[in-house]
């Protein structure tokens, strides 16, 4: 981290990190337990059922972007800035607006499921499960931002850990004692865990229905527009591969693909979100951006190689713990590691650009808009031709395309320092 940001920024970031050390550890533990639960479900249900689990989760992750519209990032920015007396109006407006939008999307999507589901290559029940999960995830992220925005880090971390332990315990009991192998059961349990977190989180937030304001809602959605655009594009890029694979290969291959690609990607997200991110992101906000971009360009090969090696080792452990339904292949492992390494570099550029305010956000959106059609075409072609192997190869190629576009654009735009732009919140990686 010292090689990426100036020393002054690093000291500030590390000082902030020390103040949140215990909540960070608890939050990281909760994320690790959630990842372990997914591994337990993958082992217990088998490749085909876990493939269905993955498809529904992928639908939910994409839909969540439209339901949430980045209001959680707005809360993370606005709550710390406002006087506590103004917090109820902020949180009430965000919550009621999200309930109306998210509920409308869920109901409308369910009503149109007989038409939408075949277009996605899934059955209507899977789509409805995805919509329900998306609404629960949306409320989970929003209510967590209410607490984080008020700096109640300990409460958030403890609540996340309690919910994660409950979900793991319930899933393990259902698999080992009750013998339930149906993926839908665990999808409903996951939806319930997100909903339980949201209800518990709201006990620490003052909600005043009369405080809802149309003008405030309009301002909040306008505030989150840039982040929503970035989230929508990345959601499509890193979510449609599962939909493509489900259509052209089948649910068993989707389950195997999720182990090769999904688990390492989730671990990478944990590192960025709950690990070094808490210290790195505040430091990036005050760092000299042209210097940061030059350092990222120099460090990119090392980041890709290091992340790829860690991914290779971690995935080997995953396959050792899973059953024979998930075949271990050095070729697949190599493709997976290459893709995760390139994905780490893209995430690093994405974080750095997002922390540079409007200028960085616009540049990132332009790169994503240019790279998305090419990347999705590569994914679709690779999966249609080579199935599981093509999915992993397509993910690697997509990230290489994005890295090339972002690196070239950043190198051109950040040749010399310019005035700082208004800061925008940073995107989190992975779920």
């Amino acid at each position: 981290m010292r090689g990426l940001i100036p020393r002054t920024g690093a000291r500030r970031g590390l000082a902030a990190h020390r103040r949140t050390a215990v909540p960070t550890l608890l939050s990281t533990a909760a994320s690790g337990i959630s990842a372990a639960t997914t591994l337990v479900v993958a082992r217990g249900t088998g490749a085909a059922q876990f493939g269905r689990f993955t498809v529904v989760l992928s639908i939910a992750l994409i839909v969540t972007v439209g339901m949430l519209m980045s209001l959680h990032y707005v809360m993370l920015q606005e709550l710390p800035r406002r006087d506590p007396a103004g917090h109820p109006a902020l949180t009430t407006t965000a919550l009621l607006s999200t309930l109306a939008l998210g509920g409308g999307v869920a109901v409308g999507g369910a009503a149109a499921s007989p038409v939408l589901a075949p277009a996605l290559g899934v059955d209507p029940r899977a789509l409805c499960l995805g919509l329900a999960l998306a609404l629960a995830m949306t409320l989970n992220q929003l209510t967590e931002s209410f607490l984080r925005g008020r700096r109640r880090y300990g409460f958030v971390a403890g609540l996340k850990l309690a919910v994660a332990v409950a979900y793991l315990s319930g899933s393990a009991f259902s698999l080992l004692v009750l013998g339930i192998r149906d993926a839908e059961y665990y999808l409903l349990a996951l939806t319930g865990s997100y909903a339980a977190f949201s209800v518990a989180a709201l006990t620490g937030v003052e909600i005043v229905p009369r405080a809802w304001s149309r003008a405030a809602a309009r301002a909040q959605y306008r505030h989150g527009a840039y982040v929503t655009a970035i989230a929508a594009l990345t959601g499509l890029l890193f979510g449609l591969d599962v939909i493509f694979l489900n259509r052209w290969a089948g649910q068993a291959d989707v389950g195997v693909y999720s182990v090769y690609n999904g688990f390492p990607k989730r671990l990478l997200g944990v590192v960025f979100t709950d690990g070094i991110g808490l210290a790195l992101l505040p430091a990036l906000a005050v760092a000299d951006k042209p210097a940061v971009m030059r350092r990222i360009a120099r460090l990119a090969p090392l980041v890709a190689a290091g992340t790829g090696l860690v991914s290779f080792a971690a995935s080997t452990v995953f396959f050792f713990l899973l059953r024979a339904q998930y075949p271990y292949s050095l070729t697949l492992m190599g493709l997976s590691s290459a893709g995760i390494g390139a994905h780490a570099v893209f995430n690093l550029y994405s974080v750095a650009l997002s922390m540079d305010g409007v200028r960085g956000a616009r540049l990132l959106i332009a790169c994503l808009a240019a790279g998305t059609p090419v990347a999705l075409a590569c994914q679709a072609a690779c999966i249609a031709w080579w199935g599981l192997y093509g999915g992993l190869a397509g993910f690697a190629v997509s990230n290489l395309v994005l890295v090339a576009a972002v690196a070239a654009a950043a190198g051109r735009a950040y040749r010399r320092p310019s005035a700082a732009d208004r800061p925008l919140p940073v995107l989190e990686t992975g779920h």
Side-chain angles (χ1 to χ4, degrees):
M1 195 162 59
R2 289 179 180 176
L4 184 61
I5 54 181
R7 290 182 179 179
T8 301
R11 291 193 189 101
R12 292 175 182 171
L14 289 173
H17 192 56
R18 291 190 190 101
R19 291 194 296 269
T20 59
V22 173
T24 297
L25 290 174
L26 291 177
S27 184
T28 302
S31 297
I33 291 171
S34 297
T37 305
T38 307
L39 190 66
V40 169
V41 173
R43 174 182 168 84
T45 59
Q49 283 295 314
F50 187 59
R52 183 173 181 81
F53 182 98
T54 303
V55 168
V56 172
L57 180 59
S58 297
I59 292 172
L61 289 171
I62 294 172
V63 175
T64 297
V65 176
M67 288 183 173
L68 190 53
M69 295 296 289
S70 302
L71 290 197
H72 57 320
Y73 290 115
V74 176
M75 293 298 103
L76 290 173
Q77 271 196 305
E78 293 300 323
L79 286 171
R81 296 174 179 171
R82 299 288 183 91
D83 185 271
H87 287 178
L90 278 174
T91 55
T92 298
T93 299
L95 178 63
L96 296 184
S97 299
T98 300
L99 283 172
L101 177 60
V105 170
V107 171
S113 60
V115 176
L116 293 177
L120 294 173
V122 300
D123 58 272
R125 185 175 179 84
L127 178 57
C128 291
L129 286 169
L131 292 168
L133 179 57
L135 183 58
M137 292 171 65
T138 295
L139 294 174
N140 175 278
Q141 292 183 57
L142 183 65
T143 53
E144 181 177 345
S145 73
F146 291 165
L147 298 175
R148 287 191 181 276
R150 298 174 63 196
R151 297 184 176 88
R152 300 192 63 181
Y153 304 122
F155 183 35
V156 171
L159 187 55
K160 288 178 67 175
L161 185 60
V163 171
V165 169
Y167 180 49
L168 174 60
S169 302
S171 298
F173 180 81
S174 299
L175 283 166
L176 300 177
V177 178
L178 302 180
I180 298 175
R181 302 285 183 260
D182 189 344
E184 291 189 6
Y185 177 88
Y186 300 97
L187 286 165
L188 292 173
L190 181 61
T191 302
S193 70
Y194 283 126
F197 177 96
S198 302
V199 172
L202 286 175
T203 62
V205 180
E206 186 178 0
I207 300 298
V208 183
R210 291 182 179 179
W212 184 87
S213 164
R214 179 180 298 179
R218 188 163 51 245
Q220 289 177 1
Y221 281 117
R222 185 170 59 247
H223 190 165
Y226 284 111
V227 180
T228 299
I230 295 171
L233 289 168
T234 53
L236 289 174
L237 275 167
F238 304 125
L240 286 182
D241 53 351
V242 170
I243 305 299
F244 292 154
L245 196 62
N246 182 66
R247 172 182 288 275
W248 289 313
Q251 287 188 352
D253 278 350
V254 172
V256 176
Y257 178 79
S258 183
V259 175
Y260 276 105
N261 179 267
F263 282 121
K265 192 164 61 175
R266 184 164 186 172
L267 287 178
L268 181 63
V270 170
V271 170
F272 266 88
T273 303
D274 297 318
I276 63 172
L278 291 181
L280 178 63
L281 301 185
L284 281 174
V286 297
D288 176 63
K289 299 306 184 299
V292 168
M293 295 303 167
R294 289 193 296 270
R295 288 166 185 164
I296 290 177
R298 290 197 299 267
L299 291 172
L302 291 176
V303 171
T307 306
L309 289 174
V310 171
S311 172
F312 193 100
S315 296
T316 300
V317 175
F318 293 155
F319 281 97
F320 177 77
L321 297 173
L322 294 171
R323 294 176 175 175
Q325 294 183 68
Y326 301 90
Y328 183 84
S329 164
L330 288 176
T331 302
L332 291 174
M333 286 292 297
L335 289 171
S336 172
S337 299
I340 295 298
H343 190 57
V345 175
F346 170 71
N347 281 338
L348 197 55
Y349 270 112
S350 178
V351 164
L353 289 170
S354 296
M355 292 306 291
D356 192 34
V358 173
R359 175 179 62 164
R362 285 175 174 170
L363 189 147
L364 182 57
I365 290 170
C367 291
L368 286 169
T372 294
V374 177
L376 289 179
C378 288
Q379 288 181 16
C382 289
I383 291 171
W385 292 336
W386 302 306
L388 175 60
Y389 286 85
L392 293 170
F395 180 78
V397 171
S398 297
N399 278 279
L400 288 174
V401 168
L402 293 174
V403 168
V406 173
R412 182 180 180 86
Y414 291 86
R415 287 176 179 172
R416 56 179 61 88
S418 64
D421 292 286
R422 181 182 55 171
L424 279 173
V426 67
L427 289 172
E428 292 181 2
T429 60
H431 292 267

